[in-house]
Amino acid sequence: MYTKAVAIVTGRSDFEEFKTLAREAGYEIVDVVKVRTLRERGLSEQKLRELKEKMERTGATEVVCDTDLKPKQVYNIAKEVKTAPKTRIEIILEIFKRHSPSKEADLQIKLASLQYELARAREKVRLAKMGEQPGFYGLGSYEVDVYYNEIKRRIQSIKEKLEEIRRKREIHRKSRGRMVLRP
């Protein structure tokens, strides 16, 4: 089952490749909004209207973008269409998560997601405090440092879990090595 999405496509990338990535992540691109470049605030008023119209006409519930977006661009688009757009990086992380073969892989993907989030955390919280941001439930009440530190704490916790998995793997590897050497 695929989630219907409208794609924001810049002229810089290969649309067919992006369409394949989106499909692999579980999105069916039902329409496209083409832009030459993204403005500092995201999309122009005309392009935002076009995006909203295409979402209503097609019944799409998500927005995917073939490039990375700044937190301010995400905020401005989300404020208009009531859903935060997924960037190319987020789509790739979703694909990895869908196909992760082990607990260790899941943790590594979660770590990458949190590190991506950490780089944008301060700006996202600042924007959320300015007004309610869809997909960012309740975080407007958090202080910036509390949110930032929570992400850092979760990153540290995941790193510790990954280190424990690596230690166990090394112990098992040494144990197997000793078993092979016995006559």
Side-chain angles (χ1 to χ4, degrees):
M1 185 70 177
Y2 293 99
T3 303
K4 290 182 178 182
V6 174
I8 299 171
V9 178
T10 60
R12 297 185 303 245
S13 69
D14 178 9
F15 178 66
E16 287 305 314
E17 176 197 15
F18 179 68
K19 192 173 176 181
T20 303
L21 282 173
R23 188 153 187 85
E24 189 63 33
Y27 300 102
E28 177 188 357
I29 296 178
V30 293
D31 212 333
V32 174
V33 173
K34 293 181 182 177
V35 295
R36 274 181 265 204
T37 58
L38 291 164
R39 299 170 53 195
E40 180 65 28
R41 296 190 69 233
L43 297 174
S44 67
E45 293 297 321
Q46 176 187 356
K47 291 296 181 178
L48 278 171
R49 278 194 304 277
E50 181 183 341
L51 177 61
K52 283 173 72 172
E53 289 169 5
K54 288 182 177 192
M55 288 182 74
E56 289 170 6
R57 185 174 40 78
T58 61
T61 57
E62 295 291 334
V63 176
V64 293
C65 186
D66 73 343
T67 188
D68 199 23
L69 297 172
K70 295 176 184 170
K72 188 172 188 175
Q73 293 170 325
V74 170
Y75 176 80
N76 288 329
I77 293 168
K79 189 169 73 173
E80 290 297 318
V81 299
K82 309 296 185 242
T83 185
K86 305 272 192 225
T87 65
R88 183 182 203 91
I89 292 171
E90 291 169 315
I91 289 171
I92 291 169
L93 288 170
E94 285 182 29
I95 293 168
F96 284 141
K97 185 171 181 140
R98 287 182 114 190
H99 298 288
S100 66
S102 66
K103 182 177 180 177
E104 182 180 14
D106 285 340
L107 288 171
Q108 288 170 336
I109 294 163
K110 185 66 178 169
L111 178 62
S113 296
L114 287 170
Q115 288 171 332
Y116 180 76
E117 177 76 13
L118 185 64
R120 291 155 177 72
R122 291 193 185 277
E123 182 68 8
K124 283 180 82 171
V125 172
R126 186 187 72 74
L127 291 168
K129 282 183 164 185
M130 289 172 35
E132 192 60 35
Q133 181 174 1
F136 208 62
Y137 305 108
L139 289 178
S141 63
Y142 276 78
E143 292 299 322
V144 174
D145 291 330
V146 172
Y147 181 60
Y148 189 79
N149 289 335
E150 174 64 17
I151 293 173
K152 285 173 58 175
R153 185 192 60 74
R154 290 171 57 197
I155 287 172
Q156 186 58 40
S157 172
I158 289 172
K159 285 181 177 180
E160 289 168 4
K161 288 176 185 174
L162 285 169
E163 186 57 37
E164 180 64 27
I165 289 171
R166 288 183 186 113
R167 277 195 300 269
K168 285 181 181 178
R169 188 181 327 111
E170 187 62 31
I171 289 168
H172 288 266
R173 186 178 294 129
K174 287 179 181 178
S175 176
R176 283 191 305 269
R178 278 181 261 154
M179 290 172 67
V180 171
L181 295 175
R182 289 185 185 157

